[in-house]
Amino acid sequence: MASTSSTPVARASAERIAELHESLSEIRAKVQNASPSRQPTLVAVSKYKPASDVLACVEDGQLDFGENYVQELVDKAAQLPQEIRWHFIGTLQSNKAKVLASIPNLYAIQTVTSTKAATALNKYISSDRATPLNILLQVNTSGEENKSGLPPLTSSTTSPDETELTKLAKHIISECPRLRLQGLMTIGSLAESLASVEKPNHDFETLVETRTALEALLKEWFSPDKWGANGKLLLSMGMSSDFEAALKSGSDIARVGTGIFGSRLKKEEIKST
Ligand SMILES: *Cc1c(COP(=O)(O)O)cnc(C)c1O
């Protein structure tokens, strides 16, 4: 297949590059401090930020990036180095599965909540991909109506083996050979995030509890080589305001935007520029 050469990405100014490298090293140090005995993945959330910012981070050794909007991800992936591992962290619509699946270096989709979306992704993922596409199931740990995600599994869940979350995990493992169930993702409530400086974040604890319950079920049904990292589900939790608390609660994947790239314009502000 002929590779199309795209226009090279413009370079950020020397000042911007220095600023990004500085914030990246600060965040890396905080990640290290919050989880000294582990090596969690830092996903740099680059939504609304120019490709030149992403490139400056790549040149500093950052390879995991998160994006929320399908078209923005498609555009950036086409211009930026193939070695990048893209994580889709936005609301997933099944009708966008085809275009997402066409991105060769899409590494993970962290926001799967339906068998319909999983089936569509499995259908459109190219058979010449070397590895399956990693899937994380989004869990609404705070139960807020404005947050997407499936209900968690807790001690008060009746018939955990019949919940939507468990059925979706089962569906991916048994019916979607081009997908790999990698773990669980949550956002959590702002109130818990603000309070988690002083006390454990209840939403993060709920995700930990959900993982324990789901792993116990999956172990009964499938051999450990079929799911997670050899039978361990990873947790994606923690953003700029709470990633240190999340890592202390056992997060494996921190998603940090503002802390690396600075504040973002709001959608309305972008439209009017
Ligand atoms: C935007 C976003 C982030 C990053 O948020 P910051 O507060 O800028 O770090 C992380 N996760 C998800 C799901 C997001 O939408």
Side-chain angles (χ1 to χ4, degrees):
M1 208 160 61
S3 69
T4 48
S5 60
S6 45
T7 28
V9 172
R11 296 202 50 91
S13 68
E15 196 187 0
R16 180 63 176 155
I17 293 172
E19 184 177 56
L20 287 167
H21 291 186
E22 193 184 320
S23 48
L24 253 182
S25 52
E26 272 171 29
I27 299 291
R28 283 173 177 152
K30 287 181 179 173
V31 168
Q32 174 73 47
N33 271 335
S35 54
S37 58
R38 301 181 299 129
Q39 288 214 306
T41 302
L42 171 63
V43 174
V45 178
S46 48
K47 61 181 172 220
Y48 297 160
K49 296 294 174 179
S52 55
D53 275 8
V54 175
L55 191 60
C57 293
V58 170
E59 288 169 351
D60 199 30
Q62 176 65 33
L63 291 179
D64 291 277
F65 291 89
E67 287 284 342
N68 288 60
Y69 304 98
V70 174
Q71 194 53 50
E72 186 177 350
L73 173 53
V74 167
D75 293 345
K76 282 181 180 157
Q79 303 170 57
L80 285 158
Q82 287 288 312
E83 61 193 313
I84 290 178
R85 294 184 288 261
W86 292 106
H87 299 246
F88 184 74
I89 61 171
T91 306
L92 178 64
Q93 288 158 334
S94 310
N95 62 359
K96 295 287 166 65
K98 190 173 182 178
V99 47
L100 276 173
S102 73
I103 301 169
N105 53 333
L106 180 69
Y107 178 77
I109 298 199
Q110 299 203 4
T111 46
V112 174
T113 56
S114 73
T115 50
K116 190 177 171 201
T119 302
L121 286 166
N122 185 65
K123 175 177 170 192
Y124 292 117
I125 285 292
S126 158
S127 55
D128 34 86
R129 249 185 89 105
T131 52
L133 175 64
N134 293 303
I135 299 295
L136 288 91
L137 308 182
Q138 186 171 353
V139 178
N140 186 354
T141 48
S142 56
E144 294 164 291
E145 273 178 31
N146 65 348
K147 294 244 158 60
S148 46
L150 297 171
L153 304 181
T154 66
S155 50
S156 56
T157 306
T158 46
S159 317
D161 51 331
E162 281 164 28
T163 58
E164 266 186 279
L165 185 72
T166 305
K167 284 195 237 164
L168 178 53
K170 233 173 156 174
H171 172 79
I172 291 171
I173 300 168
S174 55
E175 312 285 332
C176 303
R178 289 178 184 165
L179 309 182
R180 173 92 187 179
L181 179 70
Q182 196 191 31
L184 304 174
M185 177 275 211
T186 199
I187 297 177
S189 78
L190 182 62
E192 281 296 323
S193 168
L194 295 173
S196 67
V197 184
E198 289 117 40
K199 61 167 193 63
N201 180 312
H202 184 255
D203 297 333
F204 295 161
E205 295 195 323
T206 298
L207 197 66
V208 172
E209 197 182 341
T210 301
R211 168 175 63 186
T212 306
L214 185 57
E215 280 181 352
L217 291 169
L218 296 181
K219 269 180 202 147
E220 290 178 28
W221 299 322
F222 305 101
S223 74
D225 59 307
K226 297 282 186 246
W227 53 279
N230 201 25
K232 293 260 26 147
L233 295 173
L234 303 182
L235 299 183
S236 172
M237 55 187 196
M239 319 195 342
S240 293
S241 58
D242 55 18
F243 70 94
E244 289 166 284
L247 290 166
K248 285 177 187 151
S249 298
S251 175
D252 302 287
I253 302 168
R255 310 177 307 267
V256 178
T258 323
I260 295 169
F261 298 100
S263 58
R264 292 179 290 271
L265 289 172
K266 300 221 170 63
K267 232 178 185 172
E268 315 83 74
E269 291 166 329
I270 287 185
K271 278 184 191 138
S272 61
T273 51

